[in-house]
Amino acid sequence: MSPATHWTPRVCFALWIAFAGGSLRSGEIDFNHDVRPLLSNHCFSCHGVDDSNRAAELRLDSREEAIARKAIIPGDPANSEIIARLRSSDPDVQMPPPSANKPLTAEQIQLLEDWVREGAEYQQHWAFRRIERPLVPGADEAPGTDHPIDRFVVRRLRSKGIPQLSPESPKATLIRRAYQDLLGLLPTVSEVDEFIEDSRKDSYEHLVERLLSSPHYGERWGRHWLDQARYADSNGYTIDGPRIMWPYRDWVIHALNQDLPFDQFTIAQLAGDLLPNATKAQKVASAFHRNTMINQEGGVKPDQYRHEAIIDRVNTTGAVWLGLTIGCAQCHTHKFDPITNTEYYRLYSFFNSATDANNTGATVAVFEQEMFGWPPSFDNAAKELAVLRAELKNLQAESPDQSPLATLNWEWKPSNIVTAVAESGTLLTVDEVGSVFAGDGVTPSDAYRLEFTVPEAKSPVSALRLRVLTDSRLPNRGPGRAGNGNFVLTEFTLEVDGQSIAIADAWADHSQPDYPILNATDGDAKTGWAINVNAAQARAGAVMNANHEAVFLLASPVQLNGRQCVIRMRHDLNKQYLVGRFAIDASTILPSKDGPESSSSNLVAVRARIEELEALLPGKGSPVSQMIMADAAEPVPTYRLERGDFLSPLKEEGALTPGVPQALQTSVSTMAFENRLDLARWIVSRDNPLTARVIVNRVWTKYFGRGLVETENDFGYQGASPTHPELLDWLAAEFMENGWSLKHLHRLIVTSMTYRQSSNISPDLQKADPGNHLLGRQSRFRVDAEIVRDQALAAAGVLNPQLGGPGVYPPQPEGVYDFTQNRKNWPTETGSGRFRRTMYTMFYRSAPYPLLTTFDAPDFSTVCTARVRSNTPLQSLTVANDEVFVEVARKLAERVLDTATSKKPDDILEVMFQRCLTRKPSPAEKDALIAFFHRETERFESSPDSAKDFGYENSAESAAWTSVARVLFNTDEFVTRN
């Protein structure tokens, strides 16, 4: 190799700098691009902001301190200690020390020496500078372009000898790309044809507006956001019980569809509960930070897991909105970024007053579909229903003997308790007769979770009976665990498949004065059902230490067979006042409206009106309870924790006030911080230099496969520099100054020629920019896990477009829960729910839906700002053989055959090909697939049993077309966004 073409380490380093966002060195050395990466990688861990283990009390992240210690003498590298140490061969003097295993190359040392010679100027880190709008390049710098994004990109290309962008993609490719990116779906054949035939100059712009107005836009971009919110339908850890969080998911979808300004979107999620006169939607939104995991295991220390939840909230906030590795400062001052250990715990203090501990805390009642906006009649009916239910409760409390439940002839069927566990993790004992005993392992205010079935209940269940039973192992024989045998049951609830089932009425054979049974159904932790007796009751023959029973009438009968049925019993009021031994029964009889009824006309009228309203609100009359954020009345003091240990608060240093890192405050005035609302408002203020940059970069990543800052989760010193810094800042300013409108940002990006260009790579581009850092072409990458299945549903024409609601249970392989602590119930959908979008699939953290795991979806135990992508044989095997894809392939074949105007194989294939790949097949592709179709037809004709595997008894041809559909689903092009 000649000297002219020899790639020295210095040249390689310079090229890395160029493609990482800097420019090849010409003239003065740029500190941020050329020098800071070297100092950060090799020096700052020992000579940075962290003073806990700083070597020689020398800081190299501060120019003033480096000069004061003579480490750097601007303009005089010969007498600068840093250069002498770098060039020394003495292991006792050399820096970095050999033990650090971070040597600099001779070229890197020369670069630092040249920098000192040029004056050793420092610059503020690019990401911590206040965002100012750069000027858009002029036409002379980027000829042939009008779009501001294109101007920035073309100017950069031309500076590297690349004259222009790649040609625009063909229309068929463009509409497929836009559908995948904006909706996560495929266009229909007719939509593609209409777009191709549309000769208007702005036909593409019209397409973009239509897609941005689609309700599926909120689903697609909501899925991206839910990754960051670590959304899941279960608590996590090994028990991993189900939770109701889908109203929050639906709020996200609705907010994005309505283009809720991102600053309001942020504030609602970080502090919606603290807003003045907070709406229900804003409270639901605050569940962003109730997506933390909940440990239900035995021996759980509530204070430890509360601390871990707060740590998760701090680190997630830092990752999502600030793009910083905030968590590195949990145990010590950050080794690289200017975030001190004290500043970390000042952030911690924003969340330290949250009232939730483990799975308790504030909740809000939400009706199904409420986040998407009911018609006014629904809103009014729901409000009236809530008022009437409260009135009914008062009437029944005044006249408990008037309950019709007392006079009905119930037929009770015993339940089968599958699992019985306390919230503390203690297992409850289930005896041979099916009763449950709570032993000494339960905690003073424990709650019980019972998963059960009713084997003999073939009809819908209308009521449940709780029998509390005496036992010699309990104080005074019980049936409670209190010293006198009493208990206070504060809440008795039923969940079916994770959704709360409303209880319309309740009756007990005996209640302690002021502790009626209806208290156990009111959602109030400060009321409950108890069984002590007063003097009058004793004279009437009432006895506390005896068997008693309570009946809970469901608002509507519910089919329980084949579904996950969970009863929760809470004891929040008095310590040790827990139910000790009990049994659960069920009844399928329907109380007759003509049966015994209260003599109170008011009671009858209220019940009748409730029935009318429930009929008006089918499936919506019973709200579900979702966790939300709420703060204690008085702030909880926060102390710095020694080495991050929650058992070692440094109280001698004094309590910390809430605050944000000083390095991130770009305003000359200091903002006063008191609570999460102040933090949220600062995060989306112009004084914060990070949020707008981080968000526009993350959006850009979804459109190009890589961000303008490649390390989209690290905008700190260790992160990559932006490839197009002016474009990044221009987009950030544009985003903020146009009302934080995400749709405006999306529109801006997808209408640019940079987005619309072809992904084909020319030889010149391959040579000049093989990694496409300069954006001279579009990128190809695999679609997300959920979209693989959604595209198949869309291609087959079976996608159920319903938005929101509880999670669904599409088919999944057997044995998914064989290795989980609790075997989960998976009532496979048989109706249209089988074909809902994949984002609505019930998601258990301990055992996610297998398709999602196979295609690299995270388990959402922690924040995920960018998914990884892999290419494995298992992915291909899944698409080829999984029950879901085989069924959908059959549906595609049926749809094409049923609607085909021509029965010629060539014509059928062309339609099927277009439905899957949005284009017509080439002659070679058509020949290969037709030949495959004929071979499959012959195979199924010769082996009819093989056709039965696809659900066809007598049609070899239909089975063969199903095989063709499976091939199309399993092509790289089908699962790729081009």
Side-chain angles (χ1 to χ4, degrees), residues 247 322 333 378 394 466 480 512 566 569 637 674-675 679 690 695 712 730 760-761 796 801 810 817 852 904 909 915 951:
L322 305 180
T333 291
F378 277 20
N394 292 333
L466 169 66
Q512 179 177 330
V566 175
M569 297 168 57
E674 294 183 2
N675 55 30
L679 172 65
L690 286 169
I695 298 304
E712 54 77 37
W730 185 88
N760 294 334
I761 183 167
Y817 304 119
L852 302 181
K904 295 180 180 179
L909 173 66
R915 292 180 76 106

Side-chain angles (χ1 to χ4, degrees), residues 299-318:
V300 166
K301 289 179 61 62
D303 54 345
Q304 176 184 353
Y305 284 94
R306 182 179 185 278
H307 165 73
E308 293 191 5
I310 297 172
I311 291 293
D312 174 79
R313 288 163 184 163
V314 175
N315 297 348
T316 296
T317 302

Side-chain angles (χ1 to χ4, degrees), residues 69-121:
R69 295 295 305 277
K70 306 294 186 183
I72 294 174
I73 301 177
D76 189 2
N79 291 307
S80 295
E81 185 68 15
I82 184 175
I83 304 302
R85 293 295 187 104
L86 289 172
R87 292 200 176 279
S88 175
S89 58
D90 183 347
D92 294 330
V93 175
Q94 182 182 2
M95 288 291 153
S99 60
N101 198 28
K102 290 185 176 181
L104 280 81
T105 66
E107 288 75 13
Q108 291 170 337
I109 294 173
Q110 184 62 52
L111 178 66
L112 291 174
E113 183 173 326
D114 292 345
W115 167 66
V116 173
R117 182 177 293 108
E118 291 180 4
E121 291 298 326

Side-chain angles (χ1 to χ4, degrees), residues 338-402:
I339 304 169
T340 68
N341 186 229
T342 297
E343 288 175 328
Y344 181 89
Y345 285 100
R346 293 187 71 196
L347 286 169
Y348 182 104
S349 69
F350 283 115
F351 302 98
N352 198 20
S353 294
T355 56
D356 65 293
N358 210 356
N359 67 338
T360 62
T363 60
V364 64
V366 185
F367 292 88
E368 186 176 342
Q369 297 293 321
E370 191 171 11
M371 292 302 101
F372 295 106
W374 287 1
S377 59
F378 277 20
D379 279 329
N380 295 335
K383 292 175 182 176
E384 183 184 356
L385 185 61
V387 170
L388 287 175
R389 282 179 172 158
E391 183 179 347
L392 176 63
K393 179 179 174 180
N394 292 333
L395 289 170
Q396 290 172 325
E398 292 170 3
S399 307
D401 59 319
Q402 294 178 349

